[in-house]
Amino acid sequence: GAGVSQSPSNKVTEKGKDVELRCDPISGHTALYWYRQRLGQGLEFLIYFQGNSAPDKSGLPSDRFSAERTGESVSTLTIQRTQQEDSAVYLCASSRWDGYEQYFGPGTRLTVT
Amino acid sequence: AQSVTQLGSHVSVSEGALVLLRCNYSSSVPPYLFWYVQYPNQGLQLLLKYTSAATLVKGINGFEAEFKKSETSFHLTKPSAHMSDAAEYFCAVTLGGGADGLTFGKGTHLIIQP
């Protein structure tokens, strides 16, 4: 079966522009997660959805970051007025409702110039 | 809050030798522990997980890990390294999945020498 997919795979944008990253979870997975992986660092948990509800948005790095999810399907992570420190690989994962086994997508590599 | 420490950002072993990647965690309550592998330009693949059942956990590709509560460790081992094992390995912890997300260590780059 299909795994988690993310698009685009690579995105280069100019500082100050807005970007939208997309995640398609595994069908039937109610939980969805966004992580950020900066060069040479571990993964940083950003936000979690159960269905289309995100109970805690405190992990988002700043108010320039927002995320939404339609039902138990696609999620988008939007970064407004991008800054160079936003350059990273953004990974999406999905799981069953319990979240104990998360399946990761290939990531979107964002470069802000 | 929980945290994960992976000792050694780079580990180099000879092909056929024992692989040992170290992971120590800090948690106020018994955690759930995971090892993920990341090949270049790919996402993370789950190697194995500990969810309070058997303390010795076997995973894919011949890897296993042992949960030692007294040492707060969850080290990853493989008896005989193969060239295809060269990758980045991440240890992760969660208290209960869901809204906690996963807290990851900084990763260990495993190098296999021919």
Side-chain angles (χ1 to χ4, degrees):
Chain A
V4 178
S5 62
Q6 293 185 244
S7 61
S9 56
N10 280 283
K11 177 71 177 179
V12 180
T13 189
E14 293 180 352
K15 178 182 174 181
K17 300 284 189 182
D18 297 352
V19 295
E20 189 173 278
L21 313 180
R22 176 187 169 106
C23 172
D24 281 274
I26 292 172
S27 178
H29 279 189
T30 59
L32 185 145
Y33 307 78
W34 283 98
Y35 294 85
R36 178 170 70 175
Q37 185 176 25
R38 289 173 160 171
L39 187 63
Q41 300 188 25
L43 280 79
E44 175 187 2
F45 171 58
L46 299 180
I47 193 168
Y48 150 79
F49 286 91
Q50 183 62 259
N52 63 4
S53 174
D56 184 0
K57 300 181 180 180
S58 64
L60 294 174
S62 76
D63 58 9
R64 296 184 294 103
F65 286 70
S66 63
E68 63 179 28
R69 187 180 184 194
T70 305
E72 295 181 356
S73 184
V74 173
S75 175
T76 55
L77 177 69
T78 302
I79 308 173
Q80 296 179 308
R81 305 181 303 283
T82 51
Q83 303 295 313
Q84 288 189 331
E85 63 262 28
D86 299 333
S87 295
V89 176
Y90 290 83
L91 290 162
C92 174
S94 71
S95 75
R96 299 177 312 169
W97 64 272
D98 59 14
Y100 293 136
E101 191 161 330
Q102 296 182 25
Y103 294 84
F104 282 78
T108 293
R109 183 176 299 277
L110 175 65
T111 304
V112 182
T113 61
Chain B
Q2 61 271 23
S3 65
V4 175
T5 302
Q6 291 184 240
L7 293 177
S9 59
H10 291 76
V11 170
S12 180
V13 302
S14 298
E15 189 175 17
L18 171 72
V19 175
L20 171 61
L21 304 183
R22 299 178 186 275
C23 172
N24 288 87
Y25 68 90
S26 172
S27 174
S28 57
V29 298
Y32 298 92
L33 294 155
F34 307 82
W35 275 100
Y36 282 86
V37 60
Q38 186 177 34
Y39 298 101
N41 300 314
Q42 294 187 28
L44 277 71
Q45 181 182 6
L46 180 65
L47 274 179
L48 48 79
K49 63 181 178 182
Y50 167 76
T51 56
S52 75
T55 56
L56 181 62
V57 181
K58 294 187 184 298
I60 62 172
N61 302 338
F63 284 94
E64 63 181 38
E66 185 172 8
F67 172 68
K68 292 187 176 181
K69 184 178 179 180
S70 61
E71 298 178 8
T72 61
S73 69
F74 190 57
H75 301 331
L76 182 70
T77 61
K78 181 174 181 178
S80 178
H82 191 272
M83 295 300 291
S84 61
D85 294 328
E88 191 83 15
Y89 291 80
F90 292 95
C91 182
V93 62
T94 185
L95 296 184
D100 288 327
L102 290 170
T103 299
F104 284 85
K106 292 189 175 183
T108 297
H109 188 161
L110 178 62
I111 301 163
I112 310 297
Q113 304 281 3

Short mmCIF file of all heavy atoms in Angstrom, two decimals, chain B residues 47-88:
data_model
loop_
_atom_site.label_atom_id
_atom_site.label_comp_id
_atom_site.label_asym_id
_atom_site.label_seq_id
_atom_site.Cartn_x
_atom_site.Cartn_y
_atom_site.Cartn_z
N LEU B 47 12.91 0.93 12.91
CA LEU B 47 13.69 -0.30 13.06
C LEU B 47 13.06 -1.21 14.10
O LEU B 47 12.91 -2.41 13.89
CB LEU B 47 15.11 0.04 13.53
CG LEU B 47 16.17 0.37 12.49
CD1 LEU B 47 17.48 0.69 13.21
CD2 LEU B 47 16.37 -0.78 11.52
N LEU B 48 12.72 -0.63 15.26
CA LEU B 48 12.13 -1.41 16.33
C LEU B 48 11.54 -0.47 17.37
O LEU B 48 11.82 0.72 17.37
CB LEU B 48 13.16 -2.35 16.97
CG LEU B 48 14.52 -1.79 17.37
CD1 LEU B 48 14.45 -1.03 18.66
CD2 LEU B 48 15.56 -2.90 17.48
N LYS B 49 10.72 -1.05 18.25
CA LYS B 49 10.07 -0.23 19.28
C LYS B 49 9.93 -1.02 20.57
O LYS B 49 9.80 -2.26 20.57
CB LYS B 49 8.70 0.22 18.80
CG LYS B 49 7.72 -0.93 18.55
CD LYS B 49 6.37 -0.42 18.05
CE LYS B 49 5.45 -1.62 17.77
NZ LYS B 49 4.14 -1.17 17.24
N TYR B 50 9.99 -0.32 21.70
CA TYR B 50 9.73 -0.89 23.02
C TYR B 50 8.48 -0.22 23.57
O TYR B 50 8.43 1.00 23.70
CB TYR B 50 10.92 -0.64 23.96
CG TYR B 50 10.58 -0.93 25.39
CD1 TYR B 50 10.49 -2.25 25.84
CD2 TYR B 50 10.29 0.09 26.28
CE1 TYR B 50 10.14 -2.53 27.15
CE2 TYR B 50 9.95 -0.18 27.59
CZ TYR B 50 9.86 -1.49 28.01
OH TYR B 50 9.52 -1.75 29.31
N THR B 51 7.48 -1.06 23.89
CA THR B 51 6.24 -0.50 24.42
C THR B 51 5.80 -1.26 25.67
O THR B 51 4.63 -1.59 25.83
CB THR B 51 5.12 -0.54 23.36
OG1 THR B 51 4.96 -1.91 22.91
CG2 THR B 51 5.44 0.33 22.17
N SER B 52 6.75 -1.53 26.54
CA SER B 52 6.54 -2.12 27.87
C SER B 52 6.24 -3.61 27.86
O SER B 52 5.77 -4.13 28.85
CB SER B 52 5.47 -1.37 28.66
OG SER B 52 4.18 -1.69 28.18
N ALA B 53 6.51 -4.28 26.78
CA ALA B 53 6.38 -5.74 26.76
C ALA B 53 7.78 -6.32 27.05
O ALA B 53 8.39 -5.96 28.03
CB ALA B 53 5.83 -6.21 25.43
N ALA B 54 8.29 -7.17 26.22
CA ALA B 54 9.61 -7.77 26.43
C ALA B 54 10.69 -6.70 26.42
O ALA B 54 10.65 -5.78 25.60
CB ALA B 54 9.89 -8.81 25.36
N THR B 55 11.68 -6.82 27.30
CA THR B 55 12.74 -5.81 27.36
C THR B 55 13.75 -5.94 26.23
O THR B 55 14.41 -4.97 25.88
CB THR B 55 13.48 -5.89 28.70
OG1 THR B 55 13.99 -7.21 28.87
CG2 THR B 55 12.55 -5.54 29.85
N LEU B 56 13.88 -7.14 25.66
CA LEU B 56 14.74 -7.32 24.49
C LEU B 56 13.85 -7.30 23.26
O LEU B 56 12.98 -8.15 23.10
CB LEU B 56 15.51 -8.64 24.59
CG LEU B 56 16.47 -8.94 23.43
CD1 LEU B 56 17.57 -7.87 23.37
CD2 LEU B 56 17.07 -10.33 23.57
N VAL B 57 14.09 -6.33 22.42
CA VAL B 57 13.24 -6.12 21.26
C VAL B 57 14.01 -6.42 19.98
O VAL B 57 15.12 -5.93 19.80
CB VAL B 57 12.74 -4.66 21.22
CG1 VAL B 57 11.83 -4.45 20.02
CG2 VAL B 57 12.02 -4.30 22.51
N LYS B 58 13.42 -7.23 19.14
CA LYS B 58 14.05 -7.52 17.84
C LYS B 58 13.37 -6.71 16.75
O LYS B 58 12.14 -6.55 16.75
CB LYS B 58 13.95 -9.01 17.55
CG LYS B 58 14.76 -9.88 18.52
CD LYS B 58 14.77 -11.32 18.11
CE LYS B 58 15.51 -12.18 19.14
NZ LYS B 58 16.93 -11.79 19.26
N GLY B 59 14.19 -6.21 15.83
CA GLY B 59 13.65 -5.38 14.76
C GLY B 59 14.02 -5.92 13.40
O GLY B 59 14.41 -7.07 13.25
N ILE B 60 13.92 -5.04 12.43
CA ILE B 60 14.23 -5.44 11.06
C ILE B 60 15.72 -5.41 10.81
O ILE B 60 16.48 -4.80 11.59
CB ILE B 60 13.51 -4.53 10.05
CG1 ILE B 60 13.98 -3.08 10.18
CG2 ILE B 60 11.99 -4.64 10.21
CD1 ILE B 60 13.46 -2.17 9.09
N ASN B 61 16.15 -6.06 9.74
CA ASN B 61 17.54 -6.04 9.28
C ASN B 61 18.53 -6.57 10.33
O ASN B 61 19.70 -6.21 10.31
CB ASN B 61 17.97 -4.62 8.86
CG ASN B 61 17.10 -4.07 7.75
OD1 ASN B 61 16.47 -4.81 7.02
ND2 ASN B 61 17.08 -2.76 7.63
N GLY B 62 18.07 -7.43 11.23
CA GLY B 62 18.96 -8.06 12.21
C GLY B 62 19.30 -7.21 13.42
O GLY B 62 20.13 -7.60 14.24
N PHE B 63 18.69 -6.06 13.57
CA PHE B 63 18.94 -5.20 14.72
C PHE B 63 18.10 -5.61 15.92
O PHE B 63 17.00 -6.14 15.76
CB PHE B 63 18.64 -3.73 14.37
CG PHE B 63 19.69 -3.09 13.52
CD1 PHE B 63 19.56 -3.07 12.14
CD2 PHE B 63 20.80 -2.49 14.10
CE1 PHE B 63 20.53 -2.48 11.34
CE2 PHE B 63 21.78 -1.90 13.32
CZ PHE B 63 21.64 -1.88 11.94
N GLU B 64 18.61 -5.35 17.10
CA GLU B 64 17.85 -5.53 18.32
C GLU B 64 18.29 -4.51 19.34
O GLU B 64 19.33 -3.87 19.21
CB GLU B 64 17.99 -6.95 18.88
CG GLU B 64 19.38 -7.35 19.29
CD GLU B 64 19.42 -8.79 19.81
OE1 GLU B 64 18.71 -9.65 19.25
OE2 GLU B 64 20.15 -9.04 20.77
N ALA B 65 17.45 -4.30 20.35
CA ALA B 65 17.76 -3.33 21.40
C ALA B 65 17.21 -3.87 22.71
O ALA B 65 16.20 -4.57 22.74
CB ALA B 65 17.15 -1.98 21.08
N GLU B 66 17.90 -3.51 23.79
CA GLU B 66 17.47 -3.96 25.12
C GLU B 66 17.14 -2.76 25.99
O GLU B 66 17.96 -1.84 26.15
CB GLU B 66 18.55 -4.80 25.78
CG GLU B 66 18.10 -5.39 27.11
CD GLU B 66 19.10 -6.38 27.69
OE1 GLU B 66 20.23 -6.49 27.14
OE2 GLU B 66 18.76 -7.03 28.70
N PHE B 67 15.95 -2.78 26.56
CA PHE B 67 15.53 -1.73 27.48
C PHE B 67 16.05 -2.08 28.87
O PHE B 67 15.75 -3.15 29.42
CB PHE B 67 14.00 -1.64 27.51
CG PHE B 67 13.45 -0.71 28.56
CD1 PHE B 67 13.63 0.65 28.47
CD2 PHE B 67 12.75 -1.22 29.66
CE1 PHE B 67 13.12 1.51 29.43
CE2 PHE B 67 12.24 -0.37 30.63
CZ PHE B 67 12.42 1.00 30.51
N LYS B 68 16.86 -1.17 29.44
CA LYS B 68 17.38 -1.36 30.79
C LYS B 68 16.95 -0.16 31.63
O LYS B 68 17.54 0.92 31.56
CB LYS B 68 18.91 -1.48 30.77
CG LYS B 68 19.40 -2.75 30.10
CD LYS B 68 20.92 -2.91 30.26
CE LYS B 68 21.39 -4.23 29.67
NZ LYS B 68 22.86 -4.41 29.82
N LYS B 69 15.93 -0.41 32.45
CA LYS B 69 15.37 0.68 33.25
C LYS B 69 16.39 1.23 34.24
O LYS B 69 16.49 2.44 34.44
CB LYS B 69 14.12 0.18 33.99
CG LYS B 69 13.41 1.24 34.79
CD LYS B 69 12.17 0.67 35.46
CE LYS B 69 11.47 1.72 36.29
NZ LYS B 69 10.25 1.18 36.96
N SER B 70 17.17 0.34 34.85
CA SER B 70 18.13 0.77 35.88
C SER B 70 19.21 1.68 35.27
O SER B 70 19.78 2.52 35.97
CB SER B 70 18.79 -0.43 36.53
OG SER B 70 19.50 -1.20 35.58
N GLU B 71 19.49 1.51 34.01
CA GLU B 71 20.51 2.32 33.34
C GLU B 71 19.89 3.41 32.45
O GLU B 71 20.63 4.15 31.81
CB GLU B 71 21.41 1.42 32.49
CG GLU B 71 22.17 0.37 33.29
CD GLU B 71 23.01 -0.56 32.42
OE1 GLU B 71 23.13 -0.29 31.22
OE2 GLU B 71 23.54 -1.55 32.97
N THR B 72 18.59 3.45 32.40
CA THR B 72 17.83 4.35 31.50
C THR B 72 18.45 4.32 30.10
O THR B 72 18.74 5.36 29.50
CB THR B 72 17.77 5.80 32.04
OG1 THR B 72 19.09 6.33 32.17
CG2 THR B 72 17.04 5.85 33.36
N SER B 73 18.64 3.10 29.61
CA SER B 73 19.28 2.95 28.30
C SER B 73 18.43 2.10 27.36
O SER B 73 17.59 1.30 27.80
CB SER B 73 20.67 2.33 28.45
OG SER B 73 20.56 0.98 28.87
N PHE B 74 18.69 2.28 26.08
CA PHE B 74 18.01 1.51 25.04
C PHE B 74 18.98 1.42 23.87
O PHE B 74 18.76 1.97 22.80
CB PHE B 74 16.71 2.20 24.64
CG PHE B 74 15.81 1.37 23.75
CD1 PHE B 74 15.37 0.12 24.16
CD2 PHE B 74 15.36 1.87 22.53
CE1 PHE B 74 14.52 -0.64 23.36
CE2 PHE B 74 14.51 1.13 21.72
CZ PHE B 74 14.10 -0.12 22.13
N HIS B 75 20.10 0.73 24.08
CA HIS B 75 21.17 0.65 23.08
C HIS B 75 20.77 -0.28 21.94
O HIS B 75 20.17 -1.33 22.15
CB HIS B 75 22.47 0.16 23.71
CG HIS B 75 22.96 1.03 24.83
ND1 HIS B 75 22.71 2.39 24.89
CD2 HIS B 75 23.69 0.71 25.93
CE1 HIS B 75 23.26 2.89 25.97
NE2 HIS B 75 23.86 1.90 26.63
N LEU B 76 21.19 0.08 20.75
CA LEU B 76 20.90 -0.69 19.53
C LEU B 76 22.11 -1.53 19.15
O LEU B 76 23.24 -1.01 19.14
CB LEU B 76 20.56 0.27 18.39
CG LEU B 76 20.18 -0.35 17.04
CD1 LEU B 76 18.81 -1.02 17.13
CD2 LEU B 76 20.18 0.71 15.94
N THR B 77 21.91 -2.80 18.84
CA THR B 77 23.01 -3.67 18.46
C THR B 77 22.67 -4.49 17.23
O THR B 77 21.51 -4.72 16.91
CB THR B 77 23.41 -4.63 19.60
OG1 THR B 77 22.28 -5.46 19.91
CG2 THR B 77 23.85 -3.88 20.84
N LYS B 78 23.75 -4.92 16.58
CA LYS B 78 23.63 -5.87 15.48
C LYS B 78 24.92 -6.69 15.49
O LYS B 78 26.01 -6.11 15.54
CB LYS B 78 23.45 -5.17 14.13
CG LYS B 78 23.30 -6.14 12.96
CD LYS B 78 22.98 -5.43 11.66
CE LYS B 78 22.82 -6.44 10.51
NZ LYS B 78 22.45 -5.78 9.23
N PRO B 79 24.83 -8.01 15.49
CA PRO B 79 26.03 -8.84 15.65
C PRO B 79 27.08 -8.65 14.56
O PRO B 79 28.27 -8.67 14.83
CB PRO B 79 25.48 -10.27 15.63
CG PRO B 79 24.04 -10.14 15.97
CD PRO B 79 23.61 -8.82 15.41
N SER B 80 26.64 -8.45 13.33
CA SER B 80 27.57 -8.41 12.21
C SER B 80 27.15 -7.31 11.23
O SER B 80 26.10 -7.42 10.59
CB SER B 80 27.60 -9.77 11.50
OG SER B 80 28.45 -9.74 10.38
N ALA B 81 27.97 -6.28 11.12
CA ALA B 81 27.64 -5.14 10.27
C ALA B 81 27.75 -5.48 8.79
O ALA B 81 28.65 -6.22 8.37
CB ALA B 81 28.56 -3.97 10.59
N HIS B 82 26.85 -4.88 8.03
CA HIS B 82 26.86 -5.03 6.59
C HIS B 82 27.00 -3.65 5.97
O HIS B 82 26.57 -2.65 6.57
CB HIS B 82 25.56 -5.69 6.13
CG HIS B 82 25.56 -6.14 4.71
ND1 HIS B 82 25.19 -5.31 3.68
CD2 HIS B 82 25.91 -7.32 4.15
CE1 HIS B 82 25.30 -5.96 2.52
NE2 HIS B 82 25.73 -7.17 2.80
N MET B 83 27.59 -3.58 4.80
CA MET B 83 27.78 -2.28 4.14
C MET B 83 26.47 -1.51 4.01
O MET B 83 26.45 -0.28 4.13
CB MET B 83 28.42 -2.46 2.77
CG MET B 83 29.83 -3.03 2.79
SD MET B 83 31.00 -1.99 3.69
CE MET B 83 31.11 -0.58 2.59
N SER B 84 25.38 -2.23 3.80
CA SER B 84 24.08 -1.57 3.61
C SER B 84 23.53 -0.96 4.90
O SER B 84 22.52 -0.25 4.86
CB SER B 84 23.06 -2.57 3.06
OG SER B 84 22.88 -3.63 3.98
N ASP B 85 24.20 -1.20 6.03
CA ASP B 85 23.75 -0.61 7.31
C ASP B 85 24.21 0.84 7.46
O ASP B 85 23.78 1.52 8.40
CB ASP B 85 24.29 -1.43 8.49
CG ASP B 85 23.70 -2.82 8.54
OD1 ASP B 85 22.53 -3.00 8.14
OD2 ASP B 85 24.43 -3.75 8.97
N ALA B 86 25.07 1.30 6.58
CA ALA B 86 25.55 2.68 6.67
C ALA B 86 24.38 3.65 6.50
O ALA B 86 23.69 3.63 5.47
CB ALA B 86 26.59 2.93 5.60
N ALA B 87 24.14 4.45 7.52
CA ALA B 87 22.98 5.35 7.54
C ALA B 87 23.04 6.19 8.81
O ALA B 87 23.95 6.05 9.63
CB ALA B 87 21.67 4.56 7.48
N GLU B 88 22.02 7.03 8.98
CA GLU B 88 21.85 7.80 10.22
C GLU B 88 20.81 7.10 11.07
O GLU B 88 19.75 6.69 10.57
CB GLU B 88 21.37 9.22 9.88
CG GLU B 88 21.42 10.20 11.03
CD GLU B 88 22.80 10.83 11.23
OE1 GLU B 88 23.63 10.71 10.31
OE2 GLU B 88 23.02 11.42 12.29
#
